[in-house]
């Protein structure tokens, strides 16, 4: 499968067409941004690590019955995926309070949630990805009510699977962001699952092993990403 025209370039990835109109190639970059692009930098080999982790997790989720866009990892930085129309919503799942939820609601970072909290935000850089509810989503025409119900159900299913898998690797899945796409009338999980899009805390020490090391200038950013990948792949059963 060869790479053709550049379809889209985002902060951390490029998406290319292929000679098959139903498939795309995602290339993972080392560029990192935070705070809606205000903070910029690079994380050495982030693209390689995020590609490897996302490929592994998408394959695991597919085996567990969660339909997703992943087809095959093509190279260090490239993944072959089904072409989808991305639904312009970010679906955030939280098990422990952190980041914007802590700030917005005044709840201490680290507070455990009795049941997972799902937040939906409208994918729009100019607006800073604002939080939206079902009424806003309907007003925007971003997704139907039935699709939103599907996104919530799928997000909780992914959460249960990932939480268990990371726990087995000694990592607490604090929160994460998912994106979904439409393809042939079905909803597929898409985008990536990596330390760029998840918060991971070492279960024993609480040490942050994700993009917060970059966002908050904690140092050891590459080491954090590498540690999550190493532990995950060390316990690989498939
Ligand atoms: N997240 C993401 N992309 C975004 C916003 C959030 O991947 O544009 C992820 C983030 O890495 C974290 C979770 O979603 O794992 C919740 O993020 P939060 O709303 O706390 O925002 P942040 O503190 O990252 O600005």
């Amino acid at each position: 499968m060869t790479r053709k025209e550049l379809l889209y370039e985002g902060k951390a990835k490029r998406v290319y067409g292929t000679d098959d109109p139903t498939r795309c190639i995602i290339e993972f970059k080392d560029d990192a941004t935070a705070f809606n692009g205000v903070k910029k930098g690079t994380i050495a080999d982030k693209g390689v690590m995020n590609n490897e982790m996302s490929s592994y997790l998408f394959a695991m989720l597919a085996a567990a019955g969660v339909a997703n866009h992943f087809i095959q990892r093509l190279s260090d930085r490239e993944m072959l995926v089904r072409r989808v129309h991305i639904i312009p919503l970010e679906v955030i799942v939280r098990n422990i309070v952190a980041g914007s939820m802590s700030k917005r609601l005044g709840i201490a970072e680290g507070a455990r949630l009795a049941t997972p909290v799902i937040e939906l935000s409208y994918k729009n850089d100019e607006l800073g990805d604002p939080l939206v509810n079902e009424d806003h989503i309907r007003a925007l025409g971003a997704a139907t009510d039935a699709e939103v119900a599907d996104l919530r159900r799928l997000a909780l299913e992914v959460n249960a699977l990932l939480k268990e898998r990371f726990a087995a690797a000694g990592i607490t899945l604090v929160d994460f962001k998912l994106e979904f796409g439409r393809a042939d009338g079905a909803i597929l999980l898409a985008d990536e699952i990596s330390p760029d899009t998840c918060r991971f805390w070492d279960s024993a020490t609480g040490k942050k092993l994700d993009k917060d090391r970059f966002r908050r200038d904690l140092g050891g950013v590459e080491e954090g990403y590498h540690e999550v990948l190493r532990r995950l792949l060390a316990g690989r059963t498939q």
Side-chain angles (χ1 to χ4, degrees):
M1 188 72 55
T2 50
R3 222 153 86 165
K4 296 203 129 168
E5 76 284 6
L6 178 68
L7 296 174
Y8 165 83
E9 177 153 10
K11 294 167 216 152
K13 298 187 287 289
R14 292 188 189 94
V15 182
Y16 294 91
T18 66
D19 34 32
D20 178 342
T22 67
R23 284 168 172 39
C24 297
I25 291 174
I26 297 180
E27 182 193 15
F28 288 78
K29 304 191 285 185
D30 289 349
D31 298 345
T33 62
F35 313 119
N36 202 23
V38 173
K39 183 178 169 80
K40 291 192 174 73
T42 60
I43 299 172
D45 279 341
K46 174 170 80 76
V48 176
M49 296 189 277
N50 285 2
N51 186 28
E52 193 162 7
M53 193 179 309
S54 293
S55 296
Y56 169 75
L57 292 172
F58 280 136
M60 185 200 94
L61 292 171
V66 179
N68 64 69
H69 70 160
F70 177 73
I71 299 172
Q72 193 188 339
R73 188 160 74 103
L74 294 176
S75 69
D76 267 10
R77 290 177 183 274
E78 291 173 313
M79 177 192 281
L80 181 66
V81 299
R82 292 263 311 269
R83 191 162 180 169
V84 300
H85 293 283
I86 291 285
I87 297 171
L89 295 173
E90 298 196 336
V91 182
I92 290 168
V93 183
R94 301 177 184 275
N95 296 305
I96 294 180
V97 177
S100 67
M101 178 169 172
S102 167
K103 285 199 199 82
R104 193 175 339 104
L105 301 183
I107 307 175
E109 194 158 87
R112 276 175 195 278
L113 294 159
T115 52
V117 167
I118 294 187
E119 291 173 357
L120 300 163
S121 60
Y122 178 44
K123 255 174 77 70
N124 183 314
D125 281 341
E126 277 166 39
L127 300 176
D129 298 342
L131 270 185
V132 286
N133 66 23
E134 272 81 349
D135 294 338
H136 297 131
I137 292 170
R138 214 175 297 120
L140 287 163
T144 65
D145 288 3
E147 284 176 329
V148 173
D150 276 347
L151 299 184
R152 287 182 168 277
R153 181 181 49 78
L154 289 165
L156 290 176
E157 211 173 308
V158 170
N159 183 45
L161 292 161
L162 293 184
K163 221 166 68 171
E164 189 184 328
R165 180 64 192 85
F166 280 101
I171 294 167
T172 303
L173 179 62
V174 174
D175 60 28
F176 58 95
K177 183 260 308 183
L178 298 176
E179 294 186 24
F180 294 86
R182 304 181 182 101
D184 293 334
I187 289 184
L188 296 181
L189 175 63
D191 195 46
E192 66 176 295
I193 305 175
S194 73
D196 272 8
T197 62
C198 304
R199 284 196 171 92
F200 296 124
W201 293 353
D202 185 310
S203 304
T205 64
K207 184 177 174 184
K208 297 184 198 312
L209 301 170
D210 56 63
K211 195 169 155 187
D212 273 345
R213 301 205 72 79
F214 169 78
R215 292 189 190 101
R216 304 180 188 186
D217 294 320
L218 299 175
V221 185
E222 286 84 1
E223 291 78 4
Y225 280 59
H226 188 256
E227 182 62 15
V228 177
L229 185 61
R230 188 191 66 74
R231 289 199 206 172
L232 206 55
L233 299 186
R236 174 163 47 181
T237 53
Q238 55 187 3

